[in-house]
């Protein structure tokens, strides 16, 4: 055991995780409270002219395309709903419940307020749909103004889908387009750690029809919480071929922090990607397992029919990819990340970079923002105050401006961590991170962020860099409690 966990008398943290079974039962909505469908629609559904105006703006990719709907409206005294809401659905998430869920949502909310992500992307909604409301508010439409101010967003999908929507809404901050709509979650993914952390449950519930209605009601009244987000910059020698997830976008600018010197020569040209994550970034064997599962799910979607099936496939990949047997390999270069990686961090209230030694036994490094990882586990643990003080740590929260960095060793260690018998290998808490990775005997490294994995090619001659810094503004989340 790497560290003692806090006892039952310790104060509970602000981010709470639950087991999948408890989440599923809770999500079934067995409290006995009956929700009237028509009353729910009155709370959520926008006036027809606003719905049509947003639809026109998105279809034509022109925020002004909806102005005609404003001038053609027949009811001049119509007011905004109490909690106007839009829902994004990723039909490919988890067990592919999206089509059934979409049909159910269309019974509860207007068609124009339900967006299938294969048809309407989150950035299109932000650039055209929301701008349409803002344009109408600018010409004196008080209903559009209040609807924009009260708007809430629900996302039906996994962690990657939620991060996609949050990243698109983050553009509002950059453009000074306040307010930032808060986001709730209907969990359709495999891990659903973001959903667990904010009280929305860990899986798609058994009694899903009643649970969807209950989730929409909770989303219309829930308290607003804050969530840190983290900017990641990936820089590699030009010419390396990489297939990054959609959450990483190519960028021409590569502005590595100049306050830290690099080891060895820099290439003349680099290829760079950037993105944002909300839960975790990891490198190593856990990312390799996720990469194998991700490609199997895309190639053979009939195998991924639900969370239980997904977890069984994950377990198979854990064994096949060497979580348990690699330490017995005769080649030491394949054992630990220490052979290819240098880790630097900026600690809390410190502006200087500090190199942190990577333990030789560590085969996966995770930088975690939430208390939930790997389907609701808390590998960092609830640590005792005296241990926190001894290590120079502070109590971890989702909005504290820090990432918890821990390591996983061979598969046996990771297994005990995942069932929470022990904590992971605590490495550091950091306000910024830089990883410098050099190939050597490794041709590739596996990385992932918020459940989106990729295979990163490595060069023997030049380093690949990953730099992580906090985004200067926070996302708004709806509490499902």
């Amino acid at each position: 055991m790497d560290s003692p966990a806090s006892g039952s008398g310790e104060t509970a943290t602000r981010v709470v995780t639950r087991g999948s079974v408890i989440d599923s039962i809770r999500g079934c909505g067995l409290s006995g409270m009956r929700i009237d469908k028509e009353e729910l629609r009155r709370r959520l559904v926008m006036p027809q002219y606003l719905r049509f105006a947003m639809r026109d703006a998105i279809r034509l990719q022109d925020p002004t395309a909806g102005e005609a709907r404003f001038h053609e409206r027949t009811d001049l005294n119509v007011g905004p709903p109490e909690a106007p809401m839009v829902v994004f659905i990723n039909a490919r998430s988890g067990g592919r419940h999206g089509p059934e869920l979409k049909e159910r949502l269309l019974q509860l909310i207007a068609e124009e307020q339900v967006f299938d992500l294969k048809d309407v992307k989150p950035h299109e909604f932000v650039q055209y749909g929301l701008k349409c409301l803002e344009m109408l508010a600018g010409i004196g439409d008080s209903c559009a103004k209040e609807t924009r101010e009260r708007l809430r967003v629900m996302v039906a999908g996994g962690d990657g889908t939620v991060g996609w929507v949050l990243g698109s809404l983050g553009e509002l901050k950059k453009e000074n387009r306040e307010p930032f709509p808060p986001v709730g979650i209907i969990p359709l993914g495999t891990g659903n750690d973001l959903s667990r952390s904010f009280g929305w449950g860990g899986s798609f519930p058994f009694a899903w029809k009643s649970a969807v209605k209950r989730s929409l009601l909770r989303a219309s009244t829930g308290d607003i919480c804050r969530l840190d987000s983290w900017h990641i910059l990936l820089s590699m020698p030009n010419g390396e071929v990489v297939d990054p997830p959609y959450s990483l976008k190519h960028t021409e600018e590569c502005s590595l922090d100049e306050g830290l010197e690099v080891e060895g020569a820099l290439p003349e040209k680099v290829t760079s990607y950037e993105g944002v994550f909300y839960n975790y970034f990891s490198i190593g064997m856990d990312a390799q397992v996720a990469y194998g599962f991700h490609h199997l799910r895309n190639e053979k979607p009939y195998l991924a029919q639900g969370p239980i099936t997904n977890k069984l496939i994950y377990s198979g990949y854990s064994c096949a990819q060497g979580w348990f047997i690699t330490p017995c390999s005769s080649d030491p270069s394949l054992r630990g990340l220490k052979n290819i990686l240098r880790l630097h961090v900026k600690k809390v209230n410190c502006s200087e970079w500090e190199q942190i030694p990577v333990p030789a036994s560590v085969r996966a490094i995770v930088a975690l923002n939430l208390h939930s990882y790997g389907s609701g586990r808390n590998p960092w643990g609830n640590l005792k105050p005296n241990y926190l003080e001894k290590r120079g740590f502070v109590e971890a929260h989702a909005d504290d401006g820090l990432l918890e960095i821990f390591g996983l060793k061979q598969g046996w260690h990771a297994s005990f961590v995942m069932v929470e018998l022990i904590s992971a290998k605590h490495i550091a808490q950091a306000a910024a991170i830089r990883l410098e990775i050099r190939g050597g005997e490794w041709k590739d490294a596996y990385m992932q962020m918020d459940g989106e994995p990729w295979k990163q090619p490595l060069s023997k001659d030049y380093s690949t860099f990953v730099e992580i810094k906090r985004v200067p503004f926070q996302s708004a989340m709806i509490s499902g409690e």
Side-chain angles (χ1 to χ4, degrees):
M1 183 180 296
D2 289 297
S3 69
S6 61
S8 59
E10 292 296 324
T11 302
T13 56
R14 286 174 286 180
V15 180
V16 181
T17 60
R18 294 180 174 84
S20 298
V21 175
I22 295 175
D23 283 327
S24 297
I25 294 173
R26 181 179 180 274
C28 291
L30 300 178
S31 64
M33 183 176 66
R34 184 174 179 82
I35 302 172
D36 182 74
K37 184 168 73 173
E38 292 306 315
E39 175 61 27
L40 184 64
R41 285 181 60 86
R42 283 192 290 271
R43 293 175 63 91
L44 306 181
V45 175
M46 305 176 194
Q48 186 181 68
Y49 83 94
L50 286 183
R51 304 198 310 267
F52 287 1
M54 290 177 60
R55 181 192 64 187
D56 295 346
I58 293 171
R59 285 181 176 175
L60 299 175
Q61 297 192 353
D62 179 4
T64 65
E67 186 173 353
R69 301 287 184 178
F70 169 68
H71 296 297
E72 294 170 359
R73 72 193 192 284
T74 55
D75 187 352
L76 302 181
N77 296 317
V78 65
E82 183 177 340
M85 187 174 297
V86 298
V87 182
F88 290 96
I89 304 176
N90 185 352
R92 298 179 60 199
S93 289
R96 311 287 200 288
H97 293 293
E100 292 176 319
L101 178 59
K102 181 178 179 180
E103 183 178 345
R104 176 61 172 164
L105 286 167
L106 293 178
Q107 300 170 3
L108 302 173
I109 313 181
E111 177 182 0
E112 298 81 15
Q113 292 173 232
V114 179
F115 301 110
D116 192 323
L117 288 169
K118 74 176 187 297
D119 301 320
V120 177
K121 305 299 185 287
H123 71 272
E124 295 173 336
F125 169 74
V126 171
Q127 291 176 7
Y128 308 115
L130 280 187
K131 270 198 174 178
C132 176
L133 290 181
E134 294 163 3
M135 179 274 299
L136 293 176
I139 62 175
D141 184 353
S142 60
C143 181
K145 182 176 184 294
E146 291 187 47
T147 298
R148 170 67 180 89
E149 291 173 349
R150 299 178 185 180
L151 187 69
R152 294 191 171 204
V153 176
M154 281 292 278
V155 181
D159 287 345
T161 305
V162 178
W164 187 13
V165 173
L166 287 173
S168 298
L169 293 174
E171 295 299 314
L172 296 171
K173 294 284 188 177
K174 298 177 183 178
E175 299 171 9
N176 293 318
R177 294 166 56 193
E178 301 285 351
F180 188 101
V183 175
I185 305 169
I186 298 175
L188 293 185
T190 301
N192 300 312
D193 291 301
L194 273 167
S195 177
R196 297 171 193 273
S197 296
F198 291 96
W200 292 103
S203 62
F204 198 61
F206 304 124
W208 64 272
K209 287 189 177 181
S210 60
V212 169
K213 188 162 58 171
R214 197 170 304 281
S215 292
L216 293 178
L217 179 63
R218 292 209 312 266
S220 70
T221 59
D223 294 335
I224 308 302
C225 309
R226 297 296 167 185
L227 171 66
D228 286 334
S229 53
W230 297 85
H231 178 266
I232 180 170
L233 176 65
L234 172 64
S235 174
M236 70 195 79
N238 195 37
E240 300 288 353
V241 179
V242 64
D243 182 21
Y246 63 78
S247 50
L248 281 178
K249 306 297 183 185
H250 183 267
T251 177
E252 296 297 333
E253 298 182 6
C254 179
S255 52
L256 290 173
D257 193 319
E258 296 181 357
L260 178 61
E261 294 184 0
V262 301
E263 187 178 73
L266 291 174
E268 293 184 6
K269 295 183 179 180
V270 298
T271 301
S272 300
Y273 294 87
E274 63 179 352
V276 175
F277 70 90
Y278 300 86
N279 189 358
Y280 67 91
F281 166 86
S282 71
I283 177 173
M285 288 303 299
D286 70 321
Q288 183 176 358
V289 172
Y291 181 82
F293 171 80
H294 178 82
H295 279 267
L296 177 67
R297 184 175 63 177
N298 288 340
E299 293 170 3
K300 300 178 180 179
Y302 55 85
L303 293 178
Q305 293 297 322
I308 295 177
T309 304
N310 291 344
K311 287 178 174 63
L312 289 174
I313 297 172
Y314 248 96
S315 298
Y317 267 110
S318 296
C319 296
Q321 298 293 346
W323 270 86
F324 292 92
I325 63 174
T326 300
C328 301
S329 168
S330 60
D331 187 350
S333 66
L334 299 179
R335 294 184 184 176
L337 289 175
K338 181 179 181 180
N339 298 283
I340 65 164
L341 182 146
R342 287 205 313 160
L343 169 65
H344 288 83
V345 305
K346 286 184 179 179
K347 294 185 176 180
V348 60
N349 299 324
C350 182
S351 60
E352 300 296 325
W353 289 101
E354 176 183 340
Q355 184 170 357
I356 303 295
V358 177
S361 59
V362 166
R363 297 180 53 229
I365 288 179
V366 183
L368 184 64
N369 187 39
L370 305 179
H371 276 195
S372 183
Y373 169 82
S375 301
R377 309 301 186 265
N378 182 7
W380 185 257
N382 296 314
L383 307 180
K384 292 181 178 179
N386 59 348
Y387 180 81
L388 291 172
E389 183 178 0
K390 179 180 177 181
R391 293 295 304 272
F393 296 158
V394 297
E395 189 177 6
H397 297 295
D399 58 354
D400 59 6
L402 294 172
L403 290 169
E404 282 66 55
I405 306 173
F406 62 86
L408 299 173
K409 305 175 186 178
Q410 69 278 3
W412 307 112
H413 174 254
S415 298
F416 286 127
V417 170
M418 290 298 103
V419 296
E420 299 184 353
L421 290 176
I422 61 174
S423 310
K425 181 70 175 179
H426 300 131
I427 296 177
Q429 279 184 317
I433 302 171
R434 180 186 282 184
L435 304 176
E436 183 178 355
I437 311 152
R438 185 70 65 87
E441 296 298 323
W442 293 47
K443 295 181 180 179
D444 304 290
Y446 291 86
M447 304 180 185
Q448 66 171 329
M449 48 190 276
D450 287 356
E452 298 294 324
W454 73 96
K455 182 166 64 174
Q456 178 63 46
L458 300 180
S459 168
K460 291 185 177 181
D461 301 318
Y462 299 105
S463 295
T464 293
F465 295 92
V466 176
E467 194 165 278
I468 299 170
K469 294 184 177 180
R470 190 175 70 88
V471 175
F473 54 82
Q474 295 175 315
S475 297
M477 302 296 295
I478 305 171
S479 172
E481 296 291 343

